[in-house]
Amino acid sequence: MKRTFATILAITATCAAIEAQALAKSLPVHQVEAAKPLYLRDGDSGASYAHFPGASSSNWQEFTKQGFSHAIAYTPAGQYEFRLVFVQSSNNGGINGLWDIFRNGVPACDNCVGKVYGLNGAVGDYFKIYVGSPAGYAERWHYSGYITNRFDY
C-alpha cells in the first residue's frame, strides 16, 4: 500500500512538472529596449537627473521567473547601473524582483526589492524602474526611459 501511494505521488508530480513545462512554453515572451532615458533619481543622495545618455533592456516570459532587466545611465555624477538579479514574479507589463544598483561601479544597493513596470506600452511610451531597500519595496531609486523598440511573441 505504501509503495502504491508513493508511486501515485511520483506519477502525479511528474505529470504536474510536464504540465508546467507545457504551460511555460505557451506563455508570451517580451523584449523591450529603451535607448532614450527619461529620468534617474539616486536613492541615497536624492539627486535627480534628466537628459543623459543611457540604455535599458528588459526580457521576460509572463507569469514565470524567467527574466532579465538592465539599465545604464551616464549622468554628471557618473555611471549608474540597475541590474535585476532575481525575478520574484512577472506579468504582461512588468517584473518584480531583487535588484543590484551600482554607482560608478560600486554597489549602492544590494539585493534591493524593486520592480520595472509599464513595459507593455507601445514604442514611444515610457516605463519605470523603482527600487527600495533589502528590507522592502519603496520608490527610492528610480530609472525611467522611453520604449524605442519591442519584440513580442
Side-chain angles (χ1 to χ4, degrees):
M1 184 71 128
K2 284 185 181 181
R3 196 174 232 172
T4 303
F5 184 69
T7 302
I8 291 171
L9 282 178
I11 291 170
T12 303
T14 301
C15 289
I18 290 169
E19 187 176 311
Q21 282 181 328
L23 178 62
K25 289 180 182 178
S26 67
L27 293 172
V29 175
H30 308 282
Q31 190 268 327
V32 173
E33 298 173 24
K36 291 175 60 178
L38 176 62
Y39 190 78
L40 183 139
R41 184 175 66 235
D42 185 308
D44 287 337
S45 70
S48 58
Y49 307 96
H51 309 292
F52 53 86
S56 174
S57 178
S58 296
N59 309 269
W60 75 104
Q61 185 171 30
E62 291 182 20
F63 306 107
T64 72
K65 293 186 177 188
Q66 299 177 48
F68 167 85
S69 188
H70 180 265
I72 191 162
Y74 302 97
T75 71
Q79 177 182 305
Y80 288 84
E81 275 190 87
F82 287 64
R83 299 179 190 170
L84 178 66
V85 295
F86 180 77
V87 176
Q88 294 172 320
S89 65
S90 66
N91 59 32
N92 71 324
I95 309 167
N96 299 306
L98 300 179
W99 296 74
D100 287 350
I101 299 175
F102 293 83
R103 185 187 317 106
N104 296 319
V106 177
C109 198
D110 184 47
N111 281 325
C112 296
V113 180
K115 65 182 175 182
V116 54
Y117 66 94
L119 295 173
N120 53 344
V123 170
D125 291 344
Y126 63 89
F127 71 95
K128 294 181 178 184
I129 298 172
Y130 278 114
V131 179
S133 70
Y137 174 78
E139 294 183 355
R140 185 172 164 221
W141 295 87
H142 173 74
Y143 181 103
S144 57
Y146 292 102
I147 297 170
T148 54
N149 193 26
R150 67 176 306 119
F151 179 65
D152 306 287
Y153 63 94

